[in-house]
């Protein structure tokens, strides 16, 4: 069981909006430590998608956005596209375990 | 564009030592940042293994600390991982990555392609 909890899967039709949650505790997200998000396309390495809660690296479409409140964080994807189908992971620091990841959420584009 | 390339044996016998190397290009390890190992068991999520700073200071996952050694060779611009007494639970894709530190907060901005290591006799 991961320190950061994510739903195993979410789904949406092309053009729709989906939200992926990441729930932690007072020893990580609520400490407060930043949350980062990664996209892992099938058979590839993870790619940094959102850093420091809400910042997009160069080249990441503005359809992807992140937010954080209290002990939770969210990744929003608007205007869903087929190529967004991937696994998404949140990541933060935990005072007892060092750097921790969520269990991952599989995004299914219907 | 920073590139990382992990390499090492794809098959290790139980109780033996897993050794991997990550070669870094287009950036000098001596210039800064932290250099990390992360693994992903087949069909599962990501687990942070450990980290090394170019100065040689290391940070290990407490659950692996007794079996783990991470080292850096700045002359070859690479860093390495050694994990002793492996079991089937250590079977995973092993990624090397560059970690940016924001004074306690960190993200992984560049990742290698990953190398699959299977522990089996």
């Amino acid at each position: 069981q991961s320190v950061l909890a994510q739903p195993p899967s979410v789904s949406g039709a092309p053009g729709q909006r989906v939200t992926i949650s990441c729930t932690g505790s007072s020893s990580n997200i609520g400490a407060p430590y930043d949350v980062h998000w990664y996209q892992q396309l099938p058979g590839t390495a993870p790619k940094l998608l959102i850093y420091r809660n809400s910042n997009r690296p160069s080249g990441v479409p503005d359809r992807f956005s992140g937010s954080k409140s209290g002990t939770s964080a969210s990744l929003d994807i608007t205007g869903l596209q087929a190529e967004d189908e991937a696994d998404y992971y949140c990541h933060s620091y935990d005072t007892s375990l060092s750097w921790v990841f969520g269990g991952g959420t599989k995004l299914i584009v219907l | 564009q920073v590139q990382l390339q992990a390499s090492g044996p794809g098959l290790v016998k139980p109780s033996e030592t897993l050794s991997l190397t990550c070669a870094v290009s287009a950036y000098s390890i001596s210039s800064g940042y932290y250099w990390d190992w992360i693994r992903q068991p087949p069909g599962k999520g990501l687990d942070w293994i450990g980290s090394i700073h170019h100065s040689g200071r290391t940070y290990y996952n407490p659950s692996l600390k007794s079996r783990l050694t991470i080292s850096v060779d700045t002359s070859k611009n690479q860093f390495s991982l050694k994990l002793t007494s492996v079991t089937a639970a250590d079977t995973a894709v092993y990624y090397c990555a560059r970690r940016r530190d924001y004074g306690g907060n960190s993200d992984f901005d560049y990742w290698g392609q990953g190398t699959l290591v299977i522990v089996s006799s």
Side-chain angles (χ1 to χ4, degrees):
Chain A
Q1 191 161 347
S2 301
V3 173
L4 304 179
Q6 295 182 237
S9 66
V10 297
S11 62
Q16 286 189 333
R17 171 187 174 181
V18 297
T19 298
I20 299 174
S21 62
C22 176
T23 303
S25 68
S26 58
S27 65
N28 41 68
I29 297 175
Y33 288 106
D34 290 339
V35 177
H36 320 283
W37 292 90
Y38 302 85
Q39 177 192 58
Q40 187 176 32
L41 297 170
T44 70
K47 166 192 163 186
L48 182 63
L49 194 66
I50 297 288
Y51 67 97
R52 303 208 76 180
N53 308 315
S54 58
N55 297 280
R56 284 185 306 277
S58 174
V60 173
D62 59 8
R63 301 186 296 105
F64 295 90
S65 63
S67 63
K68 175 190 153 181
S69 178
T71 58
S72 295
S74 295
L75 173 69
D76 281 336
I77 309 172
T78 59
L80 208 56
Q81 298 181 4
E83 67 237 38
D84 297 334
E85 190 159 288
D87 293 326
Y88 293 84
Y89 293 89
C90 61
H91 158 231
S92 186
Y93 180 83
D94 187 280
T95 54
S96 61
L97 299 174
S98 296
W99 290 274
V100 292
F101 292 91
T105 298
K106 184 175 186 60
L107 170 60
I108 300 167
V109 180
L110 302 171
Chain B
Q1 174 89 344
V2 179
Q3 292 189 324
L4 297 93
Q5 176 90 24
S7 61
L11 181 64
V12 181
K13 289 182 169 56
S15 80
E16 295 190 344
T17 296
L18 183 163
S19 297
L20 297 174
T21 296
C22 182
V24 180
S25 57
Y27 187 85
S28 172
I29 288 180
S30 300
S31 297
Y33 291 99
Y34 294 81
W35 304 90
D36 288 48
W37 290 97
I38 297 155
R39 68 182 182 181
Q40 184 172 35
K44 296 187 178 181
L46 301 165
D47 293 317
W48 178 74
I49 297 171
S51 173
I52 190 163
H53 187 252
H54 69 87
S55 64
R57 182 170 182 178
T58 54
Y59 307 81
Y60 295 155
N61 187 318
S63 68
L64 297 171
K65 188 173 182 177
S66 63
R67 301 192 289 133
L68 181 63
T69 301
I70 296 176
S71 59
V72 64
D73 187 338
T74 54
S75 67
K76 295 182 179 179
N77 213 41
Q78 64 186 36
F79 59 107
S80 301
L81 169 152
K82 289 188 188 298
L83 186 65
T84 62
S85 305
V86 298
T87 69
D90 295 310
T91 293
V93 174
Y94 285 75
Y95 294 102
C96 51
R98 188 178 81 168
R99 179 164 60 86
R100 298 189 297 190
D101 184 72
Y102 306 101
N105 290 290
S106 292
D107 63 36
F108 301 103
D109 63 342
Y110 288 98
W111 296 66
Q113 86 290 358
T115 185
L116 174 62
V117 178
I118 297 172
V119 178
S120 175
S121 56

